[in-house]
Amino acid sequence: MKWLIQDTEPTQVKTDLVVIFAEQNTWETNPHFQKWNTFLQNLVFETLKKEKFKAKEMESRTFTMAGKPALNLLVLGIGEKKGDDQLQILRRLAAKSVKLAQGLKATHITFVLPELANVAAHDISYSLAEGAKLATYGFYRYKKKPEESVEIETALIVTPQALAASVETGVKKAELTTEGVFLARDLINTPACDMTPIELGKVASKIKGVSVKVHSLAEIQKLKMGSFLGVALGSTQNPPVLIEMHYAPKNAKKKILLIGKGVTFDSGGLSLKPPKSMETMKDDMSAAASVIALMSLMERLSPNVEVWALVAATENMPDGHALRPGDVITSMKGKTIEVLNTDAEGRLTLADAIEFGLEKKPDLIIDMATLTGACLVALGQLYAGLLGNDQKLADELMACGNKVGEKMWPLPLAEEYKEELKSPIADLKNVGGSYGGTITAALFLQEFVGKTPWAHIDIAGPSWTEKPREYETVGGTGFMVRTLVEFLGKF
Ligand code: BES
Ligand code: ZN
Ligand code: ZN
């Protein structure tokens, strides 16, 4: 999909599909609608009026004119939301347009960029290009791409010359973020037999512009990461690795530590999951995938921050060497942990990754993890849980997420529940009671974070989708790549 930006007359462009947008109830005064109406001898207005088209959110109507080649006009309703929500509608509409174009076998698509009050042109073009490109994602490692599938060759954005530079900035940004999201989705969608800890390390070590170290099992043992190693015990076929990535620009304003849960398959260990719950557990490295994908963009994004990114990659398997419920392990920090449920393994890997990362003396820590089923219960599939010890950091992350349509919602780091993690024989146990599982998981992590400003994002819901939106497909979503791009750009 090659992007072009032109100040041109859309009725005269040689293209297969033209897309025009209107906000709710404004289409009659929209100059683009008027122009097309004149061009098509009143057909547009007559039809839209007859069909009571209101330009409500996601409302659409296609006009197909015979000819050689045929011309299709797609009119789309933005509805009446404003701000970030409006941009999310635009992202979805752009994706819908691409899917529709593919259905029409259209290879050249033209978007007439809408002008939205109080929204910068680069934000409009960013959301539009992002939605359009994300919609073209497919995962074809294990089956051939269907022959009838259509590749969009060019996507032309029509906009006044005065806005062209700003529009181009947005499109460039979308090209970058979508590349990251595609990488994250590929890593998540690849089954655990092929996306092992070592393979994940290989992917990371190929990334340009950042320094990467992949620590082997022996090195992890030397580091005394007993909590992380405990999880890896049952996985004798696929040993763990600790992936360490570093981006260090000159004059960095801050030092940020990113940690992504990288359990390449979560069987639950001896606390074995039931079959249905295990079906999608190759996605338990989604956070790692997003962190690695983000690092793959770093050289081109060139943010003014130093970034350390860590992934404690392992499987969680139940063989004869596996951790038993009731076993006590000693974390790198020296805290002992009674493991009562081997399926609460994510926090064990993260605890040691945090301890390892603290040696880098970060100004702030963001950890991301498909950590608890409880988060799905609390917030559903679309919202990530957001916890931590720093309100400002949480607010900033949430704002960045809203901007790109990756939503998070705060849950309290309720110290009242801390006592649930008390063990009679060790410093901590790895599970709390039956309720508030997302909170007790975060409280467990807090024991390792100390006073450093920290945000914990539980992405168990939005990292994977069975009900894809227009710009998603069934499987991994690459959630957090775009939010983090936004966040790092703020410094
Ligand atoms: N990886 C799972 C969490 C998960 C569940 C992610 C569903 C995505 C979808 C995690 O390791 C886990 O199994 N957590 C347990 C914790 C419990 C034993 C305290 C859970 O949520 O049941
Ligand atoms: Zn688990
Ligand atoms: Zn897990």
Side-chain angles (χ1 to χ4, degrees):
M1 187 184 258
K2 186 171 160 31
W3 288 94
L4 307 165
I5 299 161
Q6 272 173 28
D7 183 355
T8 180
E9 175 47 58
T11 52
Q12 303 307 316
V13 176
K14 257 191 82 189
T15 189
D16 302 319
L17 175 70
V18 180
V19 186
I20 56 178
F21 302 85
E23 292 177 80
Q24 189 145 335
N25 294 322
T26 65
W27 59 267
E28 279 178 88
T29 54
N30 183 309
H32 300 298
F33 278 59
Q34 288 171 348
K35 222 180 261 172
W36 276 98
N37 187 50
T38 311
F39 186 67
L40 298 175
Q41 292 155 11
N42 213 26
L43 171 75
V44 177
F45 277 27
E46 245 174 47
T47 314
L48 293 182
K49 270 186 194 152
K50 196 169 115 213
E51 295 178 0
K52 301 203 166 37
F53 181 84
K54 297 277 190 299
K56 280 190 238 158
E57 187 175 309
M58 301 308 290
E59 201 177 354
S60 70
R61 178 69 160 85
T62 315
F63 296 87
T64 298
M65 273 71 64
K68 275 190 190 151
L71 173 68
N72 300 288
L73 173 69
L74 173 60
V75 311
L76 293 173
I78 298 177
E80 49 190 359
K81 288 196 177 118
K82 297 286 176 227
D84 295 337
D85 293 338
Q86 190 179 46
L87 291 176
Q88 172 66 354
I89 297 296
L90 204 59
R91 201 173 282 116
R92 288 179 54 198
L93 285 173
K96 183 174 172 148
S97 311
V98 163
K99 298 255 162 92
L100 224 130
Q102 288 168 329
L104 293 165
K105 306 263 178 260
T107 53
H108 301 283
I109 179 166
T110 299
F111 293 101
V112 180
L113 197 76
E115 289 180 30
L116 305 171
N118 304 317
V119 191
H122 63 87
D123 281 334
I124 302 174
S125 65
Y126 172 52
S127 305
L128 185 138
E130 192 169 67
K133 179 75 192 189
L134 287 177
T136 64
Y137 178 78
F139 182 62
Y140 300 110
R141 180 163 166 170
Y142 302 93
K143 71 173 181 189
K144 269 221 185 75
K145 200 171 180 172
E147 273 189 10
E148 64 277 11
S149 74
V150 175
E151 205 127 334
I152 309 280
E153 285 169 37
T154 63
L156 167 67
I157 295 183
V158 175
T159 187
Q161 192 52 43
L163 298 177
S166 177
V167 168
E168 186 174 351
T169 307
V171 170
K172 286 260 144 54
K173 184 173 164 190
E175 286 186 304
L176 202 61
T177 60
T178 52
E179 183 190 311
V181 172
F182 284 13
L183 172 60
R185 288 182 182 178
D186 282 349
L187 297 180
I188 300 164
N189 291 334
T190 303
C193 57
D194 288 328
M195 196 46 63
T196 58
I198 286 187
E199 184 56 33
L200 205 57
K202 274 191 195 149
V203 173
S205 53
K206 282 190 195 128
I207 292 174
K208 304 228 160 57
V210 293
S211 39
V212 183
K213 280 190 202 153
V214 180
H215 303 276
S216 67
L217 173 61
E219 290 167 290
I220 302 166
Q221 283 163 338
K222 224 187 245 161
L223 287 162
K224 296 198 163 38
M225 302 179 91
S227 183
F228 173 27
L229 285 167
V231 177
L233 280 177
S235 183
T236 36
Q237 294 303 307
N238 286 305
V241 295
L242 173 68
I243 305 169
E244 179 184 348
M245 288 172 280
H246 187 207
Y247 169 75
K250 283 195 196 103
N251 309 320
K253 298 236 169 69
K254 279 247 157 70
K255 200 193 291 180
I256 297 180
L257 171 61
L258 300 176
I259 299 175
K261 174 176 173 182
V263 174
T264 57
F265 186 72
D266 183 8
S267 71
L270 285 176
S271 311
L272 200 65
K273 283 182 185 295
K276 269 282 156 208
S277 312
M278 221 189 282
E279 277 180 6
T280 55
M281 277 301 132
K282 65 175 180 183
D283 82 341
D284 215 15
M285 39 59 79
S286 298
S290 291
V291 168
I292 291 169
L294 176 79
M295 294 310 276
S296 79
L297 309 177
M298 216 50 92
E299 191 177 29
R300 285 168 289 165
L301 273 176
S302 55
N304 298 317
V305 282
E306 182 179 345
V307 182
W308 285 96
L310 298 177
V311 173
T314 180
E315 293 185 323
N316 184 24
M317 298 292 269
D319 82 358
H321 298 273
L323 214 57
R324 311 153 193 83
D327 281 358
V328 175
I329 54 181
T330 304
S331 68
M332 188 182 184
K333 190 182 170 78
K335 275 186 199 277
T336 55
I337 305 162
E338 185 185 12
V339 178
L340 290 177
N341 190 324
T342 63
D343 197 12
E345 84 298 342
R347 64 198 74 182
L348 300 175
T349 66
L350 295 171
D352 277 349
I354 291 168
E355 178 64 15
F356 182 88
L358 281 173
E359 288 178 1
K360 314 292 183 196
K361 307 239 170 312
D363 297 305
L364 61 94
I365 304 175
I366 302 169
D367 86 79
M368 288 147 280
T370 46
L371 204 60
T372 62
C375 201
L376 272 154
V377 176
L379 298 174
Q381 295 188 333
L382 294 179
Y383 283 71
L386 174 61
L387 301 95
N389 60 10
D390 188 288
Q391 193 59 46
K392 189 167 158 272
L393 174 59
D395 289 345
E396 282 167 4
L397 282 166
M398 200 154 104
C400 291
N402 285 341
K403 180 105 191 259
V404 300
E406 294 183 332
K407 297 204 180 167
M408 303 170 209
W409 201 255
L411 291 169
L413 195 63
E415 61 172 21
E416 294 90 329
Y417 302 148
K418 254 191 194 162
E419 59 182 75
E420 295 191 22
L421 296 173
K422 282 194 181 143
S423 156
I425 64 163
D427 295 329
L428 281 170
K429 61 185 168 92
N430 79 327
V431 283
S434 324
Y435 304 121
T438 306
I439 297 172
T440 46
L443 285 168
F444 181 92
L445 298 178
Q446 192 187 21
E447 294 292 321
F448 297 86
V449 165
K451 294 271 174 282
T452 310
W454 160 66
H456 161 63
I457 304 165
D458 193 330
I459 62 169
S463 61
W464 180 270
T465 181
E466 300 284 344
K467 273 201 304 187
R469 286 173 282 193
E470 292 80 358
Y471 56 86
E472 296 168 334
T473 45
V474 169
T477 58
F479 189 86
M480 279 315 285
V481 172
R482 296 182 294 114
T483 298
L484 288 173
V485 167
E486 209 63 33
F487 180 76
L488 296 181
K490 296 266 182 246
F491 292 89

